[in-house]
Amino acid sequence: MPTLEGKVALVTGASRGIGKGIALILGAAGATVYITGRTQKEGDAWLPGTVGATAEEVTAAGGKGIAVACDHADDDQVRKLFDQIKGGQGALDLLVNNATLLNTGSTEQKPFWEKPLGVADLINVGLRSSYIASAMAVPLMLGRGGGLIAGISL
Protein backbone atom coordinates (compact mmCIF):
# COMPACT_ATOMS: atom_id res chain seq x y z
CA MET A 1 0.00 0.00 0.00
CA PRO A 2 1.34 3.46 -0.85
CA THR A 3 2.25 5.63 2.10
CA LEU A 4 0.50 8.87 2.92
CA GLU A 5 2.68 9.71 5.91
CA GLY A 6 3.00 13.45 6.27
CA LYS A 7 -0.19 14.03 4.25
CA VAL A 8 -3.25 15.74 5.69
CA ALA A 9 -6.75 14.75 4.62
CA LEU A 10 -10.27 15.86 5.47
CA VAL A 11 -13.19 13.49 4.97
CA THR A 12 -16.54 15.18 5.50
CA GLY A 13 -19.41 13.06 6.74
CA ALA A 14 -17.14 10.29 7.98
CA SER A 15 -19.07 9.07 11.03
CA ARG A 16 -20.30 6.09 9.03
CA GLY A 17 -20.69 4.59 5.58
CA ILE A 18 -18.52 5.47 2.61
CA GLY A 19 -16.88 8.40 4.39
CA LYS A 20 -15.82 6.19 7.28
CA GLY A 21 -14.42 3.61 4.88
CA ILE A 22 -12.40 6.22 3.02
CA ALA A 23 -11.07 7.67 6.29
CA LEU A 24 -9.97 4.21 7.44
CA ILE A 25 -8.10 3.54 4.18
CA LEU A 26 -6.35 6.91 4.42
CA GLY A 27 -5.43 6.17 8.04
CA ALA A 28 -4.07 2.75 7.13
CA ALA A 29 -1.80 4.51 4.63
CA GLY A 30 -0.48 6.75 7.44
CA ALA A 31 -2.32 10.02 6.77
CA THR A 32 -3.53 12.51 9.34
CA VAL A 33 -7.28 12.45 8.77
CA TYR A 34 -9.77 15.03 9.97
CA ILE A 35 -13.14 13.35 10.34
CA THR A 36 -16.26 15.50 10.38
CA GLY A 37 -19.87 14.77 11.11
CA ARG A 38 -22.64 15.87 13.42
CA THR A 39 -22.90 12.70 15.51
CA GLN A 40 -20.82 12.84 18.67
CA LYS A 41 -22.71 10.34 20.82
CA GLU A 42 -23.97 6.92 19.77
CA GLY A 43 -27.75 6.96 19.57
CA ASP A 44 -28.01 10.66 18.66
CA ALA A 45 -28.60 9.75 15.01
CA TRP A 46 -30.87 7.20 13.40
CA LEU A 47 -27.81 5.43 11.95
CA PRO A 48 -24.90 4.10 14.03
CA GLY A 49 -21.48 5.78 14.13
CA THR A 50 -19.77 8.85 15.59
CA VAL A 51 -16.92 11.12 14.57
CA GLY A 52 -14.95 10.09 17.65
CA ALA A 53 -15.28 6.37 16.98
CA THR A 54 -14.12 6.82 13.39
CA ALA A 55 -11.15 8.92 14.52
CA GLU A 56 -10.13 6.21 16.99
CA GLU A 57 -10.32 3.57 14.26
CA VAL A 58 -8.22 5.73 11.91
CA THR A 59 -5.55 6.01 14.60
CA ALA A 60 -5.71 2.28 15.30
CA ALA A 61 -5.25 1.64 11.56
CA GLY A 62 -1.93 3.52 11.58
CA GLY A 63 -2.85 7.13 10.84
CA LYS A 64 -3.84 9.98 13.07
CA GLY A 65 -7.58 10.49 13.36
CA ILE A 66 -8.88 13.87 14.45
CA ALA A 67 -12.60 14.11 15.17
CA VAL A 68 -14.30 17.45 14.56
CA ALA A 69 -18.01 17.86 15.19
CA CYS A 70 -19.22 19.95 12.27
CA ASP A 71 -22.59 20.58 10.70
CA HIS A 72 -21.76 21.27 7.05
CA ALA A 73 -25.02 23.23 6.71
CA ASP A 74 -23.46 25.89 8.95
CA ASP A 75 -20.81 27.94 7.12
CA ASP A 76 -19.42 29.30 10.40
CA GLN A 77 -18.75 25.78 11.67
CA VAL A 78 -17.08 24.90 8.36
CA ARG A 79 -14.92 28.03 8.55
CA LYS A 80 -13.85 27.07 12.10
CA LEU A 81 -13.00 23.57 10.84
CA PHE A 82 -10.64 24.96 8.21
CA ASP A 83 -9.14 27.38 10.74
CA GLN A 84 -8.47 24.36 12.97
CA ILE A 85 -6.77 22.48 10.13
CA LYS A 86 -4.67 25.53 9.26
CA GLY A 87 -3.68 26.05 12.89
CA GLY A 88 -2.95 22.39 13.54
CA GLN A 89 -1.38 21.27 10.27
CA GLY A 90 -0.75 24.41 8.26
CA ALA A 91 -1.96 22.83 5.05
CA LEU A 92 -4.28 20.28 3.47
CA ASP A 93 -3.47 17.68 0.80
CA LEU A 94 -6.79 15.92 0.25
CA LEU A 95 -10.45 16.85 0.68
CA VAL A 96 -13.12 14.19 0.29
CA ASN A 97 -16.52 15.86 0.06
CA ASN A 98 -18.79 13.12 1.35
CA ALA A 99 -21.17 14.84 3.78
CA THR A 100 -24.81 14.65 2.83
CA LEU A 101 -28.04 15.07 4.71
CA LEU A 102 -29.88 11.78 4.76
CA ASN A 103 -33.13 11.31 6.57
CA THR A 104 -35.31 8.25 7.01
CA GLY A 105 -37.21 9.18 3.84
CA SER A 106 -33.96 9.03 1.85
CA THR A 107 -33.68 5.29 2.26
CA GLU A 108 -37.31 4.35 1.66
CA GLN A 109 -37.74 1.94 -1.23
CA LYS A 110 -40.18 3.95 -3.31
CA PRO A 111 -40.07 6.33 -6.28
CA PHE A 112 -38.53 9.73 -5.51
CA TRP A 113 -41.80 11.57 -6.20
CA GLU A 114 -43.46 9.61 -3.40
CA LYS A 115 -40.76 10.43 -0.84
CA PRO A 116 -40.99 13.33 1.63
CA LEU A 117 -39.81 16.61 0.12
CA GLY A 118 -37.25 16.92 2.94
CA VAL A 119 -35.12 14.46 0.96
CA ALA A 120 -34.13 17.49 -1.16
CA ASP A 121 -32.21 18.88 1.83
CA LEU A 122 -29.20 17.01 0.45
CA ILE A 123 -28.82 19.95 -1.93
CA ASN A 124 -27.65 22.04 1.05
CA VAL A 125 -25.58 19.36 2.74
CA GLY A 126 -24.28 17.55 -0.27
CA LEU A 127 -24.02 19.87 -3.26
CA ARG A 128 -23.69 23.29 -1.58
CA SER A 129 -21.54 22.07 1.30
CA SER A 130 -19.11 20.48 -1.16
CA TYR A 131 -18.68 23.81 -2.91
CA ILE A 132 -18.12 25.66 0.39
CA ALA A 133 -15.59 23.10 1.67
CA SER A 134 -13.75 23.12 -1.65
CA ALA A 135 -13.52 26.93 -1.66
CA MET A 136 -12.08 26.87 1.86
CA ALA A 137 -9.72 23.96 1.12
CA VAL A 138 -7.97 25.35 -1.94
CA PRO A 139 -6.01 28.09 -0.11
CA LEU A 140 -4.64 25.42 2.26
CA MET A 141 -3.69 23.23 -0.71
CA LEU A 142 -1.98 25.98 -2.66
CA GLY A 143 0.54 26.34 0.15
CA ARG A 144 1.58 22.73 -0.52
CA GLY A 145 1.78 23.26 -4.26
CA GLY A 146 -1.49 21.49 -4.96
CA GLY A 147 -3.85 18.87 -3.66
CA LEU A 148 -6.79 16.68 -4.54
CA ILE A 149 -10.51 17.29 -4.08
CA ALA A 150 -12.76 14.26 -4.47
CA GLY A 151 -16.54 14.26 -4.45
CA ILE A 152 -18.82 11.40 -3.51
CA SER A 153 -22.30 11.47 -5.00
CA LEU A 154 -25.47 9.55 -4.27
Side-chain angles (χ1 to χ4, degrees):
M1 173 179 281
T3 183
L4 293 176
E5 288 183 37
K7 300 295 183 182
V8 180
L10 165 59
V11 183
T12 69
S15 298
R16 59 188 64 88
I18 294 169
K20 178 178 179 176
I22 293 168
L24 293 175
I25 295 286
L26 294 170
T32 295
V33 185
Y34 284 80
I35 292 108
T36 67
R38 293 177 299 156
T39 309
Q40 299 178 63
K41 181 180 164 197
E42 200 63 61
D44 282 351
W46 63 280
L47 291 170
T50 68
V51 290
T54 300
E56 289 174 7
E57 289 184 52
V58 165
T59 300
K64 180 180 179 185
I66 301 171
V68 181
C70 181
D71 181 347
H72 284 272
D74 183 331
D75 293 347
D76 288 333
Q77 288 186 36
V78 176
R79 192 171 291 105
K80 287 177 185 172
L81 162 68
F82 281 94
D83 287 345
Q84 182 179 345
I85 294 170
K86 183 177 182 179
Q89 308 300 320
L92 184 66
D93 299 292
L94 171 63
L95 167 63
V96 179
N97 282 312
N98 176 68
T100 192
L101 184 63
L102 295 179
N103 56 44
T104 55
S106 305
T107 58
E108 290 182 51
Q109 297 297 310
K110 60 169 85 170
F112 80 90
W113 60 90
E114 294 177 5
K115 292 183 179 190
L117 295 179
V119 170
D121 290 343
L122 65 87
I123 292 171
N124 288 328
V125 179
L127 181 60
R128 183 182 184 282
S129 64
S130 293
Y131 177 87
I132 300 301
S134 297
M136 292 184 184
V138 168
L140 294 177
M141 293 177 168
L142 291 175
R144 286 262 222 243
L148 175 67
I149 298 174
I152 307 301
S153 65
L154 297 176

